[in-house]
Structures are given as C-alpha cells and as structure tokens.
mmCIF file of all heavy atoms in Angstrom:
data_model
loop_
_atom_site.group_PDB
_atom_site.id
_atom_site.type_symbol
_atom_site.label_atom_id
_atom_site.label_comp_id
_atom_site.label_asym_id
_atom_site.label_seq_id
_atom_site.Cartn_x
_atom_site.Cartn_y
_atom_site.Cartn_z
ATOM 1 N N ARG A 1 0.830 -1.208 0.000
ATOM 2 C CA ARG A 1 0.000 0.000 0.000
ATOM 3 C C ARG A 1 0.864 1.258 0.000
ATOM 4 O O ARG A 1 0.530 2.254 -0.643
ATOM 5 C CB ARG A 1 -0.942 -0.005 1.216
ATOM 6 C CG ARG A 1 -1.786 1.226 1.345
ATOM 7 C CD ARG A 1 -2.719 1.360 0.172
ATOM 8 N NE ARG A 1 -3.193 2.730 0.092
ATOM 9 C CZ ARG A 1 -3.995 3.169 -0.833
ATOM 10 N NH1 ARG A 1 -4.441 2.364 -1.766
ATOM 11 N NH2 ARG A 1 -4.361 4.423 -0.846
ATOM 12 N N ASP A 2 1.991 1.236 0.725
ATOM 13 C CA ASP A 2 2.874 2.397 0.749
ATOM 14 C C ASP A 2 3.439 2.683 -0.630
ATOM 15 O O ASP A 2 3.557 3.829 -1.037
ATOM 16 C CB ASP A 2 4.006 2.197 1.757
ATOM 17 C CG ASP A 2 3.521 2.337 3.185
ATOM 18 O OD1 ASP A 2 2.621 3.157 3.428
ATOM 19 O OD2 ASP A 2 4.035 1.619 4.046
ATOM 20 N N HIS A 3 3.758 1.637 -1.367
ATOM 21 C CA HIS A 3 4.319 1.832 -2.707
ATOM 22 C C HIS A 3 3.261 2.376 -3.667
ATOM 23 O O HIS A 3 3.579 3.145 -4.568
ATOM 24 C CB HIS A 3 4.955 0.542 -3.199
ATOM 25 C CG HIS A 3 6.197 0.213 -2.439
ATOM 26 N ND1 HIS A 3 7.452 0.468 -2.925
ATOM 27 C CD2 HIS A 3 6.380 -0.288 -1.190
ATOM 28 C CE1 HIS A 3 8.348 0.127 -2.019
ATOM 29 N NE2 HIS A 3 7.721 -0.329 -0.954
ATOM 30 N N VAL A 4 2.013 2.011 -3.448
ATOM 31 C CA VAL A 4 0.913 2.571 -4.245
ATOM 32 C C VAL A 4 0.735 4.050 -3.902
ATOM 33 O O VAL A 4 0.555 4.886 -4.786
ATOM 34 C CB VAL A 4 -0.392 1.771 -3.995
ATOM 35 C CG1 VAL A 4 -1.585 2.466 -4.632
ATOM 36 C CG2 VAL A 4 -0.248 0.347 -4.509
ATOM 37 N N ASP A 5 0.807 4.384 -2.610
ATOM 38 C CA ASP A 5 0.625 5.768 -2.160
ATOM 39 C C ASP A 5 1.659 6.728 -2.746
ATOM 40 O O ASP A 5 1.369 7.910 -2.960
ATOM 41 C CB ASP A 5 0.721 5.863 -0.634
ATOM 42 C CG ASP A 5 -0.442 5.218 0.077
ATOM 43 O OD1 ASP A 5 -1.481 4.967 -0.565
ATOM 44 O OD2 ASP A 5 -0.303 4.965 1.291
ATOM 45 N N ILE A 6 2.851 6.252 -2.996
ATOM 46 C CA ILE A 6 3.928 7.109 -3.514
ATOM 47 C C ILE A 6 3.500 7.810 -4.805
ATOM 48 O O ILE A 6 3.831 8.968 -5.027
ATOM 49 C CB ILE A 6 5.220 6.303 -3.757
ATOM 50 C CG1 ILE A 6 5.777 5.799 -2.435
ATOM 51 C CG2 ILE A 6 6.257 7.139 -4.494
ATOM 52 C CD1 ILE A 6 6.900 4.793 -2.604
ATOM 53 N N HIS A 7 2.741 7.110 -5.621
ATOM 54 C CA HIS A 7 2.308 7.697 -6.893
ATOM 55 C C HIS A 7 1.489 8.964 -6.676
ATOM 56 O O HIS A 7 1.685 9.955 -7.380
ATOM 57 C CB HIS A 7 1.519 6.667 -7.714
ATOM 58 C CG HIS A 7 2.358 5.548 -8.211
ATOM 59 N ND1 HIS A 7 3.020 5.594 -9.412
ATOM 60 C CD2 HIS A 7 2.672 4.362 -7.640
ATOM 61 C CE1 HIS A 7 3.701 4.472 -9.576
ATOM 62 N NE2 HIS A 7 3.505 3.710 -8.513
ATOM 63 N N SER A 8 0.600 8.946 -5.696
ATOM 64 C CA SER A 8 -0.216 10.142 -5.470
ATOM 65 C C SER A 8 0.625 11.293 -4.923
ATOM 66 O O SER A 8 0.369 12.455 -5.249
ATOM 67 C CB SER A 8 -1.397 9.838 -4.540
ATOM 68 O OG SER A 8 -0.948 9.470 -3.264
ATOM 69 N N VAL A 9 1.632 10.983 -4.125
ATOM 70 C CA VAL A 9 2.503 12.046 -3.613
ATOM 71 C C VAL A 9 3.287 12.666 -4.770
ATOM 72 O O VAL A 9 3.356 13.887 -4.906
ATOM 73 C CB VAL A 9 3.464 11.518 -2.521
ATOM 74 C CG1 VAL A 9 4.381 12.635 -2.029
ATOM 75 C CG2 VAL A 9 2.687 10.912 -1.356
ATOM 76 N N PHE A 10 3.867 11.830 -5.616
ATOM 77 C CA PHE A 10 4.599 12.352 -6.779
ATOM 78 C C PHE A 10 3.672 13.143 -7.695
ATOM 79 O O PHE A 10 4.045 14.204 -8.196
ATOM 80 C CB PHE A 10 5.264 11.216 -7.564
ATOM 81 C CG PHE A 10 6.704 11.025 -7.225
ATOM 82 C CD1 PHE A 10 7.089 10.016 -6.371
ATOM 83 C CD2 PHE A 10 7.685 11.845 -7.759
ATOM 84 C CE1 PHE A 10 8.425 9.826 -6.051
ATOM 85 C CE2 PHE A 10 9.017 11.673 -7.444
ATOM 86 C CZ PHE A 10 9.387 10.660 -6.591
ATOM 87 N N LYS A 11 2.484 12.647 -7.914
ATOM 88 C CA LYS A 11 1.549 13.312 -8.818
ATOM 89 C C LYS A 11 1.233 14.722 -8.329
ATOM 90 O O LYS A 11 1.183 15.665 -9.107
ATOM 91 C CB LYS A 11 0.261 12.488 -8.925
ATOM 92 C CG LYS A 11 -0.704 12.991 -9.946
ATOM 93 C CD LYS A 11 -1.880 12.041 -10.062
ATOM 94 C CE LYS A 11 -2.845 12.524 -11.118
ATOM 95 N NZ LYS A 11 -3.984 11.610 -11.269
ATOM 96 N N ARG A 12 1.049 14.881 -7.021
ATOM 97 C CA ARG A 12 0.685 16.186 -6.462
ATOM 98 C C ARG A 12 1.883 17.102 -6.254
ATOM 99 O O ARG A 12 1.763 18.317 -6.309
ATOM 100 C CB ARG A 12 -0.031 15.995 -5.138
ATOM 101 C CG ARG A 12 -1.382 15.326 -5.280
ATOM 102 C CD ARG A 12 -2.011 15.175 -3.929
ATOM 103 N NE ARG A 12 -2.400 16.481 -3.452
ATOM 104 C CZ ARG A 12 -3.602 16.804 -3.045
ATOM 105 N NH1 ARG A 12 -4.538 15.909 -3.050
ATOM 106 N NH2 ARG A 12 -3.861 18.017 -2.619
ATOM 107 N N GLN A 13 3.061 16.543 -5.980
ATOM 108 C CA GLN A 13 4.205 17.350 -5.550
ATOM 109 C C GLN A 13 5.387 17.327 -6.514
ATOM 110 O O GLN A 13 6.432 17.906 -6.200
ATOM 111 C CB GLN A 13 4.693 16.836 -4.183
ATOM 112 C CG GLN A 13 3.656 16.892 -3.100
ATOM 113 C CD GLN A 13 3.326 18.314 -2.688
ATOM 114 O OE1 GLN A 13 4.140 19.207 -2.760
ATOM 115 N NE2 GLN A 13 2.105 18.521 -2.231
ATOM 116 N N ALA A 14 5.266 16.691 -7.649
ATOM 117 C CA ALA A 14 6.404 16.433 -8.542
ATOM 118 C C ALA A 14 7.310 17.637 -8.767
ATOM 119 O O ALA A 14 8.522 17.529 -8.642
ATOM 120 C CB ALA A 14 5.909 15.883 -9.880
ATOM 121 N N GLY A 15 6.763 18.764 -9.063
ATOM 122 C CA GLY A 15 7.577 19.924 -9.385
ATOM 123 C C GLY A 15 8.179 20.637 -8.187
ATOM 124 O O GLY A 15 9.017 21.520 -8.348
ATOM 125 N N ALA A 16 7.783 20.258 -6.991
ATOM 126 C CA ALA A 16 8.215 20.983 -5.794
ATOM 127 C C ALA A 16 9.152 20.174 -4.892
ATOM 128 O O ALA A 16 9.501 20.627 -3.822
ATOM 129 C CB ALA A 16 6.988 21.398 -4.993
ATOM 130 N N LEU A 17 9.558 19.003 -5.330
ATOM 131 C CA LEU A 17 10.372 18.126 -4.483
ATOM 132 C C LEU A 17 11.846 18.525 -4.480
ATOM 133 O O LEU A 17 12.387 18.936 -5.505
ATOM 134 C CB LEU A 17 10.245 16.677 -4.945
ATOM 135 C CG LEU A 17 8.851 16.073 -4.823
ATOM 136 C CD1 LEU A 17 8.810 14.722 -5.507
ATOM 137 C CD2 LEU A 17 8.436 15.968 -3.375
ATOM 138 N N ASN A 18 12.485 18.356 -3.338
ATOM 139 C CA ASN A 18 13.922 18.576 -3.201
ATOM 140 C C ASN A 18 14.611 17.240 -3.471
ATOM 141 O O ASN A 18 14.762 16.407 -2.575
ATOM 142 C CB ASN A 18 14.237 19.094 -1.797
ATOM 143 C CG ASN A 18 15.704 19.368 -1.588
ATOM 144 O OD1 ASN A 18 16.562 18.811 -2.261
ATOM 145 N ND2 ASN A 18 16.009 20.211 -0.625
ATOM 146 N N HIS A 19 15.007 17.039 -4.718
ATOM 147 C CA HIS A 19 15.556 15.753 -5.136
ATOM 148 C C HIS A 19 16.905 15.451 -4.489
ATOM 149 O O HIS A 19 17.174 14.288 -4.157
ATOM 150 C CB HIS A 19 15.674 15.699 -6.661
ATOM 151 C CG HIS A 19 14.374 15.950 -7.338
ATOM 152 N ND1 HIS A 19 13.271 15.138 -7.170
ATOM 153 C CD2 HIS A 19 13.977 16.941 -8.171
ATOM 154 C CE1 HIS A 19 12.258 15.607 -7.876
ATOM 155 N NE2 HIS A 19 12.669 16.703 -8.487
ATOM 156 N N ASP A 20 17.737 16.442 -4.297
ATOM 157 C CA ASP A 20 19.032 16.206 -3.649
ATOM 158 C C ASP A 20 18.838 15.688 -2.226
ATOM 159 O O ASP A 20 19.525 14.766 -1.790
ATOM 160 C CB ASP A 20 19.885 17.475 -3.637
ATOM 161 C CG ASP A 20 20.352 17.880 -5.017
ATOM 162 O OD1 ASP A 20 20.429 16.998 -5.905
ATOM 163 O OD2 ASP A 20 20.632 19.076 -5.219
ATOM 164 N N TYR A 21 17.919 16.286 -1.503
ATOM 165 C CA TYR A 21 17.614 15.851 -0.143
ATOM 166 C C TYR A 21 17.142 14.385 -0.143
ATOM 167 O O TYR A 21 17.619 13.564 0.628
ATOM 168 C CB TYR A 21 16.540 16.763 0.468
ATOM 169 C CG TYR A 21 16.021 16.269 1.792
ATOM 170 C CD1 TYR A 21 16.700 16.574 2.973
ATOM 171 C CD2 TYR A 21 14.874 15.497 1.873
ATOM 172 C CE1 TYR A 21 16.233 16.119 4.198
ATOM 173 C CE2 TYR A 21 14.402 15.033 3.085
ATOM 174 C CZ TYR A 21 15.085 15.338 4.244
ATOM 175 O OH TYR A 21 14.626 14.874 5.455
ATOM 176 N N ALA A 22 16.187 14.082 -1.011
ATOM 177 C CA ALA A 22 15.648 12.720 -1.068
ATOM 178 C C ALA A 22 16.732 11.712 -1.440
ATOM 179 O O ALA A 22 16.844 10.651 -0.815
ATOM 180 C CB ALA A 22 14.494 12.653 -2.069
ATOM 181 N N ARG A 23 17.539 12.035 -2.435
ATOM 182 C CA ARG A 23 18.613 11.112 -2.851
ATOM 183 C C ARG A 23 19.612 10.857 -1.729
ATOM 184 O O ARG A 23 20.086 9.740 -1.562
ATOM 185 C CB ARG A 23 19.342 11.671 -4.072
ATOM 186 C CG ARG A 23 18.633 11.402 -5.364
ATOM 187 C CD ARG A 23 19.540 11.764 -6.543
ATOM 188 N NE ARG A 23 18.741 12.414 -7.545
ATOM 189 C CZ ARG A 23 18.688 13.715 -7.767
ATOM 190 N NH1 ARG A 23 19.413 14.558 -7.074
ATOM 191 N NH2 ARG A 23 17.924 14.204 -8.715
ATOM 192 N N LYS A 24 19.940 11.909 -0.964
ATOM 193 C CA LYS A 24 20.904 11.759 0.121
ATOM 194 C C LYS A 24 20.412 10.721 1.121
ATOM 195 O O LYS A 24 21.126 9.800 1.501
ATOM 196 C CB LYS A 24 21.126 13.115 0.815
ATOM 197 C CG LYS A 24 22.126 13.061 1.976
ATOM 198 C CD LYS A 24 21.400 12.985 3.308
ATOM 199 C CE LYS A 24 22.329 13.036 4.488
ATOM 200 N NZ LYS A 24 22.479 11.823 5.232
ATOM 201 N N TRP A 25 19.157 10.848 1.560
ATOM 202 C CA TRP A 25 18.631 9.908 2.547
ATOM 203 C C TRP A 25 18.407 8.533 1.936
ATOM 204 O O TRP A 25 18.649 7.505 2.594
ATOM 205 C CB TRP A 25 17.359 10.452 3.177
ATOM 206 C CG TRP A 25 17.665 11.491 4.206
ATOM 207 C CD1 TRP A 25 17.495 12.848 4.086
ATOM 208 C CD2 TRP A 25 18.247 11.283 5.490
ATOM 209 N NE1 TRP A 25 17.923 13.479 5.226
ATOM 210 C CE2 TRP A 25 18.388 12.542 6.110
ATOM 211 C CE3 TRP A 25 18.668 10.150 6.188
ATOM 212 C CZ2 TRP A 25 18.920 12.699 7.383
ATOM 213 C CZ3 TRP A 25 19.193 10.308 7.465
ATOM 214 C CH2 TRP A 25 19.315 11.566 8.050
ATOM 215 N N LEU A 26 17.957 8.466 0.710
ATOM 216 C CA LEU A 26 17.767 7.160 0.066
ATOM 217 C C LEU A 26 19.094 6.434 -0.095
ATOM 218 O O LEU A 26 19.163 5.211 0.085
ATOM 219 C CB LEU A 26 17.058 7.329 -1.281
ATOM 220 C CG LEU A 26 15.596 7.758 -1.172
ATOM 221 C CD1 LEU A 26 15.047 8.116 -2.545
ATOM 222 C CD2 LEU A 26 14.758 6.669 -0.504
ATOM 223 N N ARG A 27 20.148 7.170 -0.405
ATOM 224 C CA ARG A 27 21.485 6.572 -0.499
ATOM 225 C C ARG A 27 21.891 5.974 0.855
ATOM 226 O O ARG A 27 22.393 4.851 0.935
ATOM 227 C CB ARG A 27 22.505 7.613 -0.955
ATOM 228 C CG ARG A 27 23.864 7.067 -1.273
ATOM 229 C CD ARG A 27 24.797 8.134 -1.857
ATOM 230 N NE ARG A 27 24.233 8.798 -3.019
ATOM 231 C CZ ARG A 27 23.763 10.056 -3.048
ATOM 232 N NH1 ARG A 27 23.802 10.810 -1.968
ATOM 233 N NH2 ARG A 27 23.258 10.578 -4.142
ATOM 234 N N ASP A 28 21.631 6.722 1.921
ATOM 235 C CA ASP A 28 21.935 6.217 3.270
ATOM 236 C C ASP A 28 21.148 4.943 3.565
ATOM 237 O O ASP A 28 21.697 3.970 4.097
ATOM 238 C CB ASP A 28 21.615 7.267 4.333
ATOM 239 C CG ASP A 28 22.582 8.438 4.328
ATOM 240 O OD1 ASP A 28 23.608 8.398 3.595
ATOM 241 O OD2 ASP A 28 22.310 9.414 5.054
ATOM 242 N N PHE A 29 19.861 4.932 3.216
ATOM 243 C CA PHE A 29 19.047 3.739 3.456
ATOM 244 C C PHE A 29 19.476 2.570 2.582
ATOM 245 O O PHE A 29 19.415 1.416 3.014
ATOM 246 C CB PHE A 29 17.560 4.039 3.272
ATOM 247 C CG PHE A 29 16.937 4.703 4.471
ATOM 248 C CD1 PHE A 29 16.499 6.010 4.405
ATOM 249 C CD2 PHE A 29 16.811 4.023 5.673
ATOM 250 C CE1 PHE A 29 15.936 6.627 5.510
ATOM 251 C CE2 PHE A 29 16.244 4.627 6.790
ATOM 252 C CZ PHE A 29 15.808 5.936 6.713
ATOM 253 N N GLU A 30 19.911 2.842 1.358
ATOM 254 C CA GLU A 30 20.419 1.765 0.509
ATOM 255 C C GLU A 30 21.591 1.061 1.181
ATOM 256 O O GLU A 30 21.676 -0.170 1.155
ATOM 257 C CB GLU A 30 20.838 2.301 -0.862
ATOM 258 C CG GLU A 30 19.678 2.588 -1.780
ATOM 259 C CD GLU A 30 20.110 3.034 -3.163
ATOM 260 O OE1 GLU A 30 21.286 3.414 -3.356
ATOM 261 O OE2 GLU A 30 19.261 3.006 -4.066
ATOM 262 N N GLU A 31 22.471 1.836 1.785
ATOM 263 C CA GLU A 31 23.637 1.257 2.466
ATOM 264 C C GLU A 31 23.225 0.479 3.708
ATOM 265 O O GLU A 31 23.635 -0.664 3.900
ATOM 266 C CB GLU A 31 24.625 2.358 2.841
ATOM 267 C CG GLU A 31 25.329 2.970 1.660
ATOM 268 C CD GLU A 31 26.260 4.109 2.058
ATOM 269 O OE1 GLU A 31 26.678 4.163 3.235
ATOM 270 O OE2 GLU A 31 26.563 4.935 1.185
ATOM 271 N N VAL A 32 22.425 1.095 4.557
ATOM 272 C CA VAL A 32 22.041 0.471 5.826
ATOM 273 C C VAL A 32 21.191 -0.783 5.607
ATOM 274 O O VAL A 32 21.369 -1.787 6.301
ATOM 275 C CB VAL A 32 21.288 1.481 6.719
ATOM 276 C CG1 VAL A 32 20.678 0.819 7.933
ATOM 277 C CG2 VAL A 32 22.210 2.609 7.143
ATOM 278 N N LEU A 33 20.286 -0.729 4.644
ATOM 279 C CA LEU A 33 19.364 -1.843 4.414
ATOM 280 C C LEU A 33 19.841 -2.796 3.317
ATOM 281 O O LEU A 33 19.135 -3.751 2.995
ATOM 282 C CB LEU A 33 17.974 -1.298 4.070
ATOM 283 C CG LEU A 33 17.329 -0.423 5.153
ATOM 284 C CD1 LEU A 33 16.015 0.159 4.649
ATOM 285 C CD2 LEU A 33 17.122 -1.226 6.428
ATOM 286 N N ALA A 34 21.014 -2.538 2.765
ATOM 287 C CA ALA A 34 21.565 -3.375 1.684
ATOM 288 C C ALA A 34 20.542 -3.582 0.563
ATOM 289 O O ALA A 34 20.286 -4.685 0.112
ATOM 290 C CB ALA A 34 22.055 -4.710 2.235
ATOM 291 N N ASP A 35 19.959 -2.473 0.134
ATOM 292 C CA ASP A 35 18.964 -2.500 -0.939
ATOM 293 C C ASP A 35 19.291 -1.367 -1.899
ATOM 294 O O ASP A 35 19.119 -0.191 -1.577
ATOM 295 C CB ASP A 35 17.563 -2.312 -0.356
ATOM 296 C CG ASP A 35 16.467 -2.429 -1.396
ATOM 297 O OD1 ASP A 35 16.735 -2.251 -2.603
ATOM 298 O OD2 ASP A 35 15.325 -2.695 -0.991
ATOM 299 N N SER A 36 19.752 -1.710 -3.067
ATOM 300 C CA SER A 36 20.210 -0.692 -4.020
ATOM 301 C C SER A 36 19.105 -0.206 -4.955
ATOM 302 O O SER A 36 19.393 0.398 -5.984
ATOM 303 C CB SER A 36 21.379 -1.238 -4.840
ATOM 304 O OG SER A 36 20.942 -2.348 -5.600
ATOM 305 N N THR A 37 17.856 -0.411 -4.599
ATOM 306 C CA THR A 37 16.761 -0.056 -5.512
ATOM 307 C C THR A 37 16.079 1.271 -5.205
ATOM 308 O O THR A 37 15.297 1.761 -6.018
ATOM 309 C CB THR A 37 15.676 -1.151 -5.495
ATOM 310 O OG1 THR A 37 15.099 -1.221 -4.182
ATOM 311 C CG2 THR A 37 16.255 -2.511 -5.885
ATOM 312 N N PHE A 38 16.336 1.855 -4.055
ATOM 313 C CA PHE A 38 15.571 3.024 -3.630
ATOM 314 C C PHE A 38 15.747 4.235 -4.552
ATOM 315 O O PHE A 38 14.771 4.857 -4.965
ATOM 316 C CB PHE A 38 15.910 3.426 -2.195
ATOM 317 C CG PHE A 38 15.590 2.369 -1.174
ATOM 318 C CD1 PHE A 38 16.468 2.111 -0.145
ATOM 319 C CD2 PHE A 38 14.421 1.636 -1.225
ATOM 320 C CE1 PHE A 38 16.187 1.152 0.815
ATOM 321 C CE2 PHE A 38 14.124 0.670 -0.280
ATOM 322 C CZ PHE A 38 15.010 0.424 0.750
ATOM 323 N N ILE A 39 16.979 4.577 -4.865
ATOM 324 C CA ILE A 39 17.208 5.751 -5.722
ATOM 325 C C ILE A 39 16.689 5.498 -7.129
ATOM 326 O O ILE A 39 16.061 6.381 -7.730
ATOM 327 C CB ILE A 39 18.692 6.165 -5.729
ATOM 328 C CG1 ILE A 39 19.090 6.661 -4.337
ATOM 329 C CG2 ILE A 39 18.961 7.242 -6.786
ATOM 330 C CD1 ILE A 39 20.566 6.958 -4.177
ATOM 331 N N ALA A 40 16.905 4.304 -7.645
ATOM 332 C CA ALA A 40 16.421 3.978 -8.991
ATOM 333 C C ALA A 40 14.900 4.095 -9.056
ATOM 334 O O ALA A 40 14.348 4.629 -10.029
ATOM 335 C CB ALA A 40 16.875 2.585 -9.393
ATOM 336 N N GLU A 41 14.210 3.615 -8.041
ATOM 337 C CA GLU A 41 12.750 3.703 -8.021
ATOM 338 C C GLU A 41 12.298 5.154 -7.886
ATOM 339 O O GLU A 41 11.347 5.585 -8.554
ATOM 340 C CB GLU A 41 12.178 2.864 -6.880
ATOM 341 C CG GLU A 41 10.673 2.902 -6.775
ATOM 342 C CD GLU A 41 9.928 2.305 -7.953
ATOM 343 O OE1 GLU A 41 10.569 1.747 -8.873
ATOM 344 O OE2 GLU A 41 8.700 2.423 -7.986
ATOM 345 N N TYR A 42 12.977 5.925 -7.066
ATOM 346 C CA TYR A 42 12.671 7.346 -6.926
ATOM 347 C C TYR A 42 12.811 8.050 -8.283
ATOM 348 O O TYR A 42 11.922 8.797 -8.699
ATOM 349 C CB TYR A 42 13.605 7.984 -5.894
ATOM 350 C CG TYR A 42 13.373 9.460 -5.689
ATOM 351 C CD1 TYR A 42 12.463 9.907 -4.744
ATOM 352 C CD2 TYR A 42 14.049 10.413 -6.452
ATOM 353 C CE1 TYR A 42 12.230 11.268 -4.555
ATOM 354 C CE2 TYR A 42 13.823 11.770 -6.271
ATOM 355 C CZ TYR A 42 12.923 12.184 -5.322
ATOM 356 O OH TYR A 42 12.691 13.531 -5.150
ATOM 357 N N GLU A 43 13.906 7.793 -8.974
ATOM 358 C CA GLU A 43 14.142 8.449 -10.270
ATOM 359 C C GLU A 43 13.147 7.983 -11.327
ATOM 360 O O GLU A 43 12.731 8.764 -12.183
ATOM 361 C CB GLU A 43 15.578 8.199 -10.730
ATOM 362 C CG GLU A 43 16.623 8.864 -9.855
ATOM 363 C CD GLU A 43 16.523 10.389 -9.787
ATOM 364 O OE1 GLU A 43 15.878 11.022 -10.641
ATOM 365 O OE2 GLU A 43 17.106 10.961 -8.838
ATOM 366 N N ARG A 44 12.740 6.722 -11.265
ATOM 367 C CA ARG A 44 11.733 6.214 -12.209
ATOM 368 C C ARG A 44 10.409 6.962 -12.007
ATOM 369 O O ARG A 44 9.783 7.419 -12.968
ATOM 370 C CB ARG A 44 11.525 4.714 -12.007
ATOM 371 C CG ARG A 44 10.565 4.088 -13.016
ATOM 372 C CD ARG A 44 10.288 2.636 -12.690
ATOM 373 N NE ARG A 44 9.452 2.485 -11.516
ATOM 374 C CZ ARG A 44 8.121 2.686 -11.494
ATOM 375 N NH1 ARG A 44 7.492 3.072 -12.590
ATOM 376 N NH2 ARG A 44 7.439 2.514 -10.387
#
C-alpha cells in the first residue's frame, strides 16, 4: 500500500520536491538496508 501511495505524492508534488535531499537519505538507506533499488525507483 505504501508503494501505491507514492504515486499520489509524486503526482501532487512532482515539481516541488527537493531531489538532492531525497537522494541523500535514500542513499543512506540503501547502504544500511543493503537494498540498491531506492534511488532507482525514486528516479523512475
């Protein structure tokens, strides 16, 4: 359900997002959780 919800957030906020901020934290989570898909999914 959380992954479905992301679409509505992007749809409403796409032009106003701080991408550098999001990438920084997603990069940290990729390392900690050993999951290299977060940034790729964000960019998609």
Side-chain angles (χ1 to χ4, degrees):
R1 177 63 198 179
D2 286 325
H3 290 260
V4 171
D5 291 343
I6 294 170
H7 291 271
S8 64
V9 179
F10 262 101
K11 187 175 181 179
R12 293 180 71 126
Q13 301 291 330
L17 296 171
N18 181 336
H19 303 298
D20 291 336
Y21 172 85
R23 278 190 221 102
K24 180 261 184 251
W25 282 106
L26 291 171
R27 188 174 305 107
D28 289 352
F29 279 112
E30 283 184 344
E31 290 177 22
V32 171
L33 300 175
D35 184 338
S36 63
T37 64
F38 298 138
I39 294 174
E41 180 64 5
Y42 179 89
E43 293 299 342
R44 184 186 72 77

